[in-house]
């Protein structure tokens, strides 16, 4: 760009032209309304050049792989290099695409109250379509984003919102007995704590604590909603006295 003054606006314009299919003249007109002297510095040809995909593809082809992927997927080059070191060449671009994609809304069924199939049927009756997760046996993936917080099934504790990767943690503990005591020392708002409670079928005893006591306040609300009977919330200032007992 010829001038650093309007560089941010032009970067935004380039994004909308290349990725949102906005017309060059419309973006030029829009930005001229933001900056009075814009047309004098950047004529129509500047925006038309942005829309010239063959020109951009030719420029990208001259770059190294990590530089090209860094620009195309809006990641710093050091991050792309790390991905290249960890994964085979065919996996890199699909992975970068996945990282930029909107994550699905995932529900974790509270199996102490309802089965996954039962919840799925109930949601269908409310006009909400889901699919079974292939990653977590307690998860349902929503077909589209909705405000699940207003659903009666959520308010009644039938499910929590928890991404698939997070739902793998509690089963990874490989608990074979529900007559145990568990310490969740980094409980936060309690997503994994509640999952452990569900796996223990409300038996055993889970001590949940966190250095940030504000997060534990949210956990208290979730415990009540899910009707978890085996979670004992320990504020950080009471940590030593409670656990010694």
């Amino acid at each position: 760009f010829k001038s650093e003054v309007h560089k941010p606006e032009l970067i935004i314009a380039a994004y909308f032209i290349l990725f949102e299919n906005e017309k060059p003249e419309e973006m030029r007109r829009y930005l001229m309304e933001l900056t009075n002297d814009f047309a004098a510095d950047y004529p129509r040809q500047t925006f038309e050049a942005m829309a010239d995909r063959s020109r951009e593809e030719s420029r990208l082809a001259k770059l190294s792989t990590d530089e090209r992927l860094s620009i195309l997927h809006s990641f710093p080059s050091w991050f792309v290099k790390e991905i290249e070191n960890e994964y085979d060449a065919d996996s890199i671009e699909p992975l970068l695409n996945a990282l930029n994609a909107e994550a699905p809304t995932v529900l974790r069924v509270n199996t102490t109250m309802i089965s996954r199939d039962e919840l799925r049927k109930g949601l269908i009756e409310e006009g909400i379509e889901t699919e079974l997760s292939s990653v977590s046996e307690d998860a349902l993936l929503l077909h589209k984003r909705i405000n699940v917080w207003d659903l009666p099934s959520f308010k009644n504790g039938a499910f929590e919102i928890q991404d698939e990767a997070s739902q793998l943690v509690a089963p990874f503990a490989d608990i074979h007995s529900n007559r145990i005591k568990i310490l969740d020392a980094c409980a936060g708002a309690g997503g994994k704590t509640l999952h452990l409670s569900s796996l223990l079928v409300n038996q055993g005893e889970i001590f949940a604590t966190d250095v940030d006591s504000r997060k534990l306040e949210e956990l208290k609300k979730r415990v009540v909603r899910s009707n978890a009977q085996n979670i004992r919330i320990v504020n950080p200032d009471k940590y030593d006295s409670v656990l010694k007992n």
Side-chain angles (χ1 to χ4, degrees):
F1 297 120
K2 297 177 181 179
S3 170
E4 291 292 322
V5 175
H6 300 299
K7 190 172 182 178
E9 291 98 321
L10 283 175
I11 291 174
I12 294 171
Y15 171 84
F16 277 100
I17 290 171
L18 288 172
F19 298 104
E20 300 295 334
N21 296 316
E22 292 287 346
K23 294 180 179 180
E25 183 58 32
E26 291 179 358
M27 286 306 304
R28 177 174 179 267
R29 187 183 304 113
Y30 173 74
L31 292 181
M32 284 176 63
E33 294 174 357
L34 298 179
T35 319
N36 292 333
D37 63 346
F38 194 79
D41 288 342
Y42 299 96
R44 182 179 291 102
Q45 290 86 339
T46 300
F47 296 87
E48 292 174 347
M50 293 178 186
D52 187 351
R53 291 185 177 274
S54 61
R55 170 178 172 270
E56 293 305 315
E57 289 171 359
S58 175
R59 294 173 63 187
L60 287 170
K62 297 175 182 178
L63 301 175
S64 64
T65 300
D66 55 277
E67 289 176 320
R68 180 178 62 82
L69 292 176
S70 173
I71 292 171
L72 283 175
H73 298 281
S74 300
F75 286 104
S77 57
W78 66 262
F79 179 78
V80 175
K81 289 178 181 178
E82 289 294 326
I83 296 295
E84 290 174 334
N85 291 335
E86 293 290 334
Y87 296 90
D88 62 82
D90 292 336
S91 301
I92 295 169
E93 197 149 16
L95 178 57
L96 294 175
N97 280 327
L99 290 171
N100 274 326
E102 184 178 52
T105 300
V106 184
L107 314 180
R108 179 184 59 75
V109 182
N110 181 359
T111 53
T112 61
M113 286 188 177
I114 191 171
S115 72
R116 183 166 69 165
D117 288 339
E118 288 171 335
L119 177 61
R120 191 182 189 197
K121 290 177 182 177
L123 291 173
I124 289 174
E125 292 174 359
E126 296 183 67
I128 301 168
E129 294 186 359
T130 64
E131 62 182 86
L132 302 179
S133 168
S134 61
V135 176
S136 169
E137 62 182 22
D138 293 332
L140 290 172
L141 282 65
L142 294 184
H143 282 187
K144 62 179 181 179
R145 288 181 175 272
I146 60 169
N147 182 11
V148 297
W149 288 274
D150 285 340
L151 295 177
S153 50
F154 175 76
K155 293 179 179 180
N156 293 335
F159 67 85
E160 291 286 337
I161 302 167
Q162 186 177 13
D163 64 59
E164 290 177 289
S166 180
Q167 292 190 38
L168 296 179
V169 176
F172 189 74
D174 197 23
I175 300 170
H176 295 287
S177 171
N178 53 21
R179 299 181 63 185
I180 62 173
K181 292 185 178 181
I182 296 174
L183 170 63
D184 189 345
C186 190
K192 301 176 189 67
T193 313
L194 290 165
H195 197 181
L196 285 168
S197 172
S198 182
L199 292 177
L200 290 172
V201 199
N202 258 335
Q203 299 183 46
E205 192 170 14
I206 302 171
F207 295 89
T209 188
D210 197 278
V211 293
D212 189 347
S213 58
R214 294 172 299 178
K215 294 180 179 179
L216 297 177
E217 291 301 315
E218 178 62 23
L219 174 56
K220 290 178 183 178
K221 299 175 186 176
R222 297 174 74 180
V223 165
V224 172
R225 186 176 63 244
S226 66
N227 196 32
Q229 304 294 318
N230 57 349
I231 296 175
R232 186 174 179 184
I233 298 173
V234 182
N235 285 319
D237 59 334
K238 304 292 185 181
Y239 182 84
D240 289 335
S241 61
V242 171
L243 293 184
K244 284 179 181 178
N245 298 326

